[in-house]
Amino acid sequence: MSLTLINVLFAVVAAIGFAALNAAYLVWCERKGAGFFQRRPGPTENGPWGLLQPPVDGIKLMTKQLIIPGGVDKAFFMVAPVLAMFPAIMSFVTIPFSENIVAHNMDIGVLMIFAFASMGSMSLLLAGWGSRNKYSLMSSVRAVSQSIAYEIPMLITVITVVMITGSMDLKVIVEDQTAGFWQWNVFALLKSPLMPVSFLIFFICSLAETNRAPFDLGEAESELVAGFHTEYSSMGFGLFFMGEYANIVIGACLTTILFLGGWGCPFGLLPGVWWFLLKVYLLIFTFIWIRWTFPRTTIYGLLNLSWKILIPISLFNLLLTAGLLKVF
Amino acid sequence: MMTETIKQSLEELFPPVETAAAPAVEESTDQDAADDKKKAAATAPRANGVITSDYQACGYHVDAQVAPEQLLAAVSKVNEAGFFIESITGVDWIADNQLEVVYDFCRYDFDLCRVVIRTRTDRANPEVPTITEIYSGANWHERETHDFFGIKFAGHPHLIPLLLPEDADFHPLLKDFKA
Amino acid sequence: MSAPIQLRSDETFTLNVGPQHPATHGVLRVKMEMDGEYIYKAETVLGYIHRMHEKMGENRTYAQFLPNLGRLDYLSAMAYNHGYVLAVERACGIEVPERAEYIRVLTVELNRISSHLVWFGAFIMDLGGFTPLMYAFDDREAILDILEGVTGARLTYCYHRFGGVYNDIDDDFIEGTKAFIPRMRKALKVYENLVTKNIILMKRLKEIGPVSAEMCRRYGATGPVARGSGINYDVRKNEPYSVYNEFDYDIPVYHECDSYARYMVRMDEMEQSLRIIEQALAKLPEGPIMPAKKPKIIKPPVGDYYQAVEAARGSFGIRIVSNGDKNAYRMKLRSPTYSNMHLFDEACRGMLIADALAFMGSLDLVIPEMDR
């Protein structure tokens, strides 16, 4: 067995561990956060501050029966939840948490993450199609049109960043910004004056890509009951749940890396990885904050936002950046 | 005043012979005669016609009883005068062997006037025309009345049980209904 | 948003919204013929919790039927109590002491606010926002505590009696209500900033769910649904009952005919109810809460009596047909949501399902009241 293979295997195990732990405790954060926004305590029963809630929830989910409704497309039905979790874990492999902490750095890290992210909508499609439920079907159709609509502005924005940096290596992108916080891409007005707008577009798109409120149309519970996971129980549901939170972490990590200087710290106080995690969790807190504040948009409002506003702006931004790079 | 207007337009439905009899209940100043009338009203079904009722005492202004054939004409008049439909219901007058359908109308403006239109039909074969053509909102009310009393609304587009189960063949508000 | 394309009847599928569905807030079922996400036509199926209250009205005495009124519209039970006792008082000619009427108005208006608060929370939840529900329930809790003190119940009140009320209000009630008014005013400000001015909410409600005034008339829609369509109709003003004439308050009317108009009507109504409560507390007369002379057994004279009141959802009417017995010969309960919901079938054609469910939320449904 070659060293690389062991390295990769170790990385995958670590990534699964990180993803699972994050998913579990993000649920706790989400519930505590929701409690904070709604003037109530949130989970308190299990352990101090309800800290044992995630493992208890996990045990509950795992010991429940996985009901496979009659007439479902069994293969699709079973594959879909796995497919929801797997791309998220794979994406962790190439994310640099600091100079040294990266499972497997790649020259085309950005490309790889987006390739895997696109697979996420596959799982929604399969789940919706395989469930033999009209709500699930409608939800999966929504989810696919949503992820197509939002991948385009997201990728255009990323191309802008890649053009500035001149590399698709996530490590290089971060190292480009480590000189100080004025070097962070979000503030890099000299490179492209529309960089804060790019950041905003990327942030909105990552909300939409991860199916978070106010763009959670795939599982709009007041319309489509529970959307694509209506028919799932037990760990089938659990995997969707974990996949969702893992995707949130990926989204926050990418935003941090591409725009907020990755592990770069403004004062050089702590080791880089702590700054990275701090930024990531602040972003996640913003995700939670937004979710518990805004009502949901509608599917046409969502698509209009992407096709009529975000894509033109991001295209303009791309052209402007390209022009500036050419001139200067 | 809307009360007078609607009363007059409803009275057009009744030829002079009948209208002369109906207001007599009110206009009669003779106490005994009025009492006799009341007793008669309590025992026998009332004759068709329009009455202006005492709003303070009973809560509506105009009370018209029409024959089922006149119903559409009467409701059209109410509709033209801009009333909204409040409800439709039935009453089972088992002693008279009749079923009564009661239509309530009211107004949105400040010219307060509540109109009640009643019609009576034979208990053995209760059938009155539907007014869904005039008031779309009568649809559910008529279905409900059909559920509870078994009154057929001729021409109703969708006369299936609404509040009762889909296969219900009983009519619980009939006085001879046994659970 | 109406359908930009011609919907085809031959390419539809049936979607059963309910009887168990998060948006119906109860056991309501809407059979929707869908062309994609657009509704081709819808048919509402009622009766899942039909309990035949009208038959119960016939086979028990007037006093025994009183608790049933709290079980119709469980969110604004007080107004139903009020309507029923007013109808029986009208039939029997019972005089009500003034203090009792003031107490009735106080409790009804408090109950109206609590009902609107539940609607507010549930409606925003229909739109996907969770947090306002918790805020609204927090404020509603204060009302329930106040009302529990005098009525002994938190939800299904049976407080009004023929001729008066069951129990005089105490200092706790008065102090609690006085403290509640500024609290609620502050909360309404919070709701305005948090929800009403939210751009997503406006986009989801404005020009969605058009209900014209003519449509209201044909279906007999009342309450906030009619007032959101530019109809200035409120039983409290149009057909004054109880002591409502003695207060200075406005009826909010919006002419936009959309879901946002209905939303705004209810939000403004809470403020108007606060005004009524304020004035009622200031003017509250001393005196008995039950008439000195009252028939022991309620036996209305032969006749047909009708009484309408403004419940939180519209005009609640009650028709009592009496044959002089101690039981009613016929008891008809006219519930407002029954008529309000009826227009959904016609109005939702060509709507997207998300808009249709937002529209349904703006009608403020309480299913037990529709099914009776």
Side-chain angles (χ1 to χ4, degrees):
Chain A
M1 225 193 261
S2 72
L3 200 63
T4 347
L5 192 61
I6 295 172
N7 209 357
V8 165
L9 272 180
F10 177 75
V12 166
V13 170
I16 291 175
F18 183 72
L21 196 74
N22 253 305
Y25 273 89
L26 276 184
V27 177
W28 179 84
C29 288
E30 176 105 56
R31 291 173 66 175
K32 274 286 181 198
F36 171 65
F37 293 122
Q38 299 176 347
R39 305 181 190 156
R40 58 187 174 86
T44 52
E45 287 297 310
N46 297 305
W49 306 292
L51 270 173
L52 290 178
Q53 191 67 38
V56 173
D57 273 347
I59 292 167
K60 183 202 79 172
L61 277 175
M62 277 184 249
T63 48
K64 274 188 146 179
Q65 185 192 359
L66 178 62
I67 297 165
I68 300 175
V72 300
D73 191 321
K74 216 170 163 183
F76 285 177
F77 189 78
M78 298 303 286
V79 163
V82 180
L83 213 53
M85 191 68 194
F86 153 77
I89 290 171
M90 288 314 286
S91 304
F92 275 116
V93 168
T94 187
I95 284 184
F97 288 81
S98 78
E99 298 95 322
N100 315 317
I101 307 175
V102 52
H104 187 78
N105 199 37
M106 270 189 270
D107 298 347
I108 49 162
V110 176
L111 208 59
M112 185 196 130
I113 286 180
F114 279 98
F116 276 118
S118 311
M119 286 178 70
S121 58
M122 265 304 269
S123 95
L124 306 192
L125 184 63
L126 290 188
W129 179 257
S131 284
R132 193 172 179 254
N133 180 319
K134 285 167 195 160
Y135 291 112
S136 303
L137 185 64
M138 283 168 83
S139 140
S140 66
V141 174
R142 276 184 182 189
V144 171
S145 59
Q146 178 181 341
S147 67
I148 289 173
Y150 278 84
E151 252 162 41
I152 296 171
M154 199 173 191
L155 280 171
I156 293 173
T157 320
V158 171
I159 291 172
T160 320
V161 175
V162 168
M163 275 192 334
I164 290 173
T165 320
S167 167
M168 284 211 267
D169 189 335
L170 291 171
K171 226 169 160 177
V172 177
I173 292 175
V174 175
E175 274 158 5
D176 201 40
Q177 313 173 47
T178 39
F181 69 88
W182 57 90
Q183 288 283 345
W184 292 359
N185 275 337
V186 62
F187 302 122
L189 296 175
L190 287 176
K191 291 173 185 162
S192 162
L194 282 178
M195 226 42 201
V197 180
S198 308
F199 169 71
L200 217 63
I201 293 175
F202 189 86
F203 187 72
I204 292 172
C205 291
S206 55
L207 274 178
E209 276 286 297
T210 48
N211 271 320
R212 286 289 290 186
F215 306 114
D216 57 342
L217 293 158
E219 46 190 303
E221 70 288 303
S222 54
E223 298 149 25
L224 302 180
V225 189
F228 53 86
H229 61 66
T230 307
E231 297 291 349
Y232 283 89
S233 53
S234 179
M235 262 332 260
F237 167 73
L239 279 177
F240 274 120
F241 215 63
M242 280 165 71
E244 188 192 322
Y245 282 97
N247 277 325
I248 291 166
V249 180
I250 299 279
C253 286
L254 266 185
T255 317
T256 312
I257 289 167
L258 293 178
F259 291 96
L260 299 178
W263 62 81
C265 68
F267 326 107
L269 271 180
L270 288 163
V273 62
W274 295 110
W275 282 103
F276 183 84
L277 290 178
L278 182 72
K279 290 170 189 169
V280 166
Y281 287 116
L282 271 178
L283 279 173
I284 291 173
F285 177 76
T286 320
F287 274 49
I288 294 173
W289 190 0
I290 289 174
R291 169 162 179 192
W292 297 106
T293 308
F294 288 115
R296 184 184 304 119
T297 56
T298 51
I299 183 74
Y300 60 80
L302 176 97
L303 297 180
N304 280 348
L305 176 68
S306 171
W307 292 105
K308 290 185 180 166
I309 299 173
L310 295 185
I311 291 182
I313 292 179
S314 55
L315 273 175
F316 175 72
N317 188 13
L318 179 69
L319 287 176
L320 186 77
T321 315
L324 285 176
L325 280 177
K326 192 76 191 160
V327 173
F328 299 108
Chain B
M1 277 299 285
M2 187 40 81
T3 311
E4 286 309 309
T5 325
I6 193 72
K7 197 185 154 200
Q8 273 165 21
S9 76
L10 282 173
E11 268 170 356
E12 286 166 17
L13 289 172
F14 301 99
V17 190
E18 277 184 87
T19 36
V25 179
E26 282 214 322
E27 286 163 12
S28 167
T29 45
D30 186 356
Q31 194 58 43
D32 292 344
D35 282 354
D36 284 351
K37 278 279 181 198
K38 265 184 191 160
K39 269 177 203 155
T43 50
R46 157 192 151 191
N48 289 349
V50 186
I51 317 174
T52 314
S53 4
D54 177 11
Y55 172 73
Q56 287 307 325
C58 61
Y60 43 85
H61 300 83
V62 177
D63 182 351
Q65 179 166 318
V66 300
E69 308 82 63
Q70 294 170 309
L71 182 69
L72 285 178
V75 173
S76 303
K77 282 177 192 297
V78 175
N79 179 37
E80 279 153 24
F83 283 73
F84 75 86
I85 182 163
E86 188 105 33
S87 69
I88 299 175
T89 186
V91 184
D92 179 15
W93 296 105
I94 192 164
D96 307 332
N97 202 24
Q98 279 181 326
L99 283 174
E100 184 180 21
V101 188
V102 188
Y103 299 78
D104 283 291
F105 300 94
C106 188
R107 296 185 67 76
Y108 281 135
D109 56 17
F110 283 84
D111 193 356
L112 177 68
C113 177
R114 285 189 181 273
V115 174
V116 181
I117 293 179
R118 308 157 187 277
T119 183
R120 290 201 174 203
T121 171
D122 185 33
R123 208 165 174 279
N125 182 25
E127 186 170 316
V128 293
T130 177
I131 63 161
T132 45
E133 293 292 313
I134 306 166
Y135 282 101
S136 328
N139 192 320
W140 283 9
H141 292 295
E142 287 184 354
R143 278 171 72 185
E144 180 195 312
T145 312
H146 173 76
D147 279 6
F148 292 172
F149 294 94
I151 297 166
K152 282 183 208 68
F153 289 89
H156 190 285
H158 197 56
L159 200 60
I160 60 163
L162 177 69
L163 293 175
L164 295 186
E166 288 156 350
D167 54 351
D169 55 354
F170 47 86
H171 304 294
L173 281 186
L174 292 177
K175 289 284 171 188
D176 53 1
F177 168 76
K178 293 272 180 295
Chain C
M1 193 186 204
S2 59
I5 44 163
Q6 192 64 45
L7 297 182
R8 296 178 55 176
S9 60
D10 55 337
E11 289 190 353
T12 59
F13 65 95
T14 310
L15 188 71
N16 264 306
V17 180
Q20 293 292 339
H21 187 282
T24 57
H25 303 296
V27 278
L28 174 72
R29 173 170 162 223
V30 186
K31 250 163 51 182
M32 289 180 177
E33 284 289 319
M34 310 280 297
D35 183 352
E37 291 227 0
Y38 287 99
I39 296 169
Y40 180 70
K41 66 174 195 214
E43 188 198 337
T44 311
V45 182
L46 300 182
Y48 283 90
I49 40 170
H50 173 56
R51 292 153 295 170
M52 203 73 238
H53 277 294
E54 297 181 5
K55 185 80 180 174
M56 289 189 233
E58 288 178 16
N59 60 23
R60 56 194 64 189
T61 65
Y62 289 94
Q64 282 171 338
F65 187 57
L66 201 46
N68 282 51
L69 273 301
R71 272 80 180 165
L72 286 170
D73 181 348
Y74 54 87
L75 292 178
S76 73
M78 211 62 98
Y80 285 70
N81 272 269
H82 198 187
Y84 179 60
V85 296
L86 282 174
V88 173
E89 281 154 10
R90 164 171 271 165
C92 300
I94 302 173
E95 286 289 321
V96 186
E98 212 186 1
R99 183 179 172 87
E101 281 294 10
Y102 271 82
I103 295 174
R104 285 180 183 180
V105 168
L106 268 173
T107 51
V108 167
E109 294 305 321
L110 277 173
N111 198 202
R112 188 187 312 278
I113 297 175
S114 82
S115 166
H116 281 350
L117 281 174
V118 176
W119 159 81
F120 168 74
F123 180 47
I124 306 303
M125 203 152 98
D126 281 350
L127 302 173
F130 287 85
T131 306
L133 179 87
M134 293 291 164
Y135 285 35
F137 267 60
D138 192 18
D139 293 322
R140 174 173 173 264
E141 207 67 9
I143 301 180
L144 296 191
D145 287 344
I146 292 170
L147 288 179
E148 189 186 10
V150 289
T151 67
R154 288 175 74 81
L155 205 62
T156 50
Y157 309 108
C158 177
Y159 177 57
H160 301 174
R161 292 288 188 276
F162 308 125
V165 291
Y166 153 66
N167 191 352
D168 202 353
I169 54 175
D170 48 13
D171 288 344
D172 284 351
F173 179 89
I174 293 172
E175 292 311 312
T177 314
K178 274 184 182 155
F180 173 75
I181 294 169
R183 174 194 169 149
M184 191 62 213
R185 291 232 161 94
K186 235 165 101 188
L188 285 173
K189 266 266 166 333
V190 172
Y191 298 154
E192 193 184 337
N193 291 329
L194 177 69
V195 182
T196 312
K197 290 180 184 164
N198 186 313
I199 181 132
I200 297 179
L201 184 97
M202 287 194 189
K203 286 221 161 188
R204 286 212 54 184
L205 297 185
K206 283 201 168 160
E207 287 164 38
I208 300 294
V211 177
S212 68
E214 172 59 18
M215 195 167 171
C216 284
R217 194 183 71 81
R218 277 191 291 118
Y219 282 96
T222 48
V225 178
R227 290 195 282 278
S229 301
I231 298 168
N232 186 3
Y233 179 72
D234 186 311
V235 184
R236 290 176 294 177
K237 283 268 189 203
N238 289 52
E239 195 181 348
Y241 57 94
S242 194
V243 285
Y244 277 109
N245 259 347
E246 297 177 20
F247 305 118
D248 172 34
Y249 61 101
D250 302 318
I251 301 299
V253 177
Y254 283 77
H255 295 268
E256 287 82 5
C257 303
D258 53 10
S259 297
Y260 196 69
R262 289 184 281 277
Y263 171 88
M264 287 308 293
V265 166
R266 292 200 183 87
M267 296 311 275
D268 291 0
E269 259 180 32
M270 286 197 247
E271 169 58 30
Q272 297 305 326
S273 290
L274 284 178
R275 278 178 67 191
I276 297 176
I277 293 168
E278 233 172 7
Q279 294 169 43
L281 278 178
K283 288 185 184 175
L284 187 68
E286 291 297 323
I289 53 158
M290 280 298 235
K293 257 185 72 171
K294 201 193 103 181
K296 267 235 149 51
I297 299 167
I298 302 286
K299 267 190 186 177
V302 179
D304 182 343
Y305 309 95
Y306 193 85
Q307 174 69 46
V309 291
E310 183 75 15
R313 282 155 194 81
S315 148
F316 166 65
I318 185 153
R319 168 180 295 279
I320 297 174
V321 179
S322 167
N323 59 354
D325 208 350
K326 61 184 196 315
N327 293 6
Y329 190 73
R330 173 85 177 93
M331 179 88 67
K332 164 70 183 170
L333 308 166
R334 187 262 182 208
S335 55
T337 355
Y338 191 75
S339 302
N340 293 356
M341 180 64 196
H342 194 173
L343 52 79
F344 178 82
D345 290 2
E346 185 182 322
C348 75
R349 287 189 187 176
M351 260 192 221
L352 282 162
I353 181 166
D355 289 341
L357 292 176
F359 169 47
M360 196 198 271
S362 80
L363 295 177
D364 191 5
L365 306 179
V366 169
I367 316 298
E369 182 217 21
M370 284 163 68
D371 285 356
R372 281 164 292 147

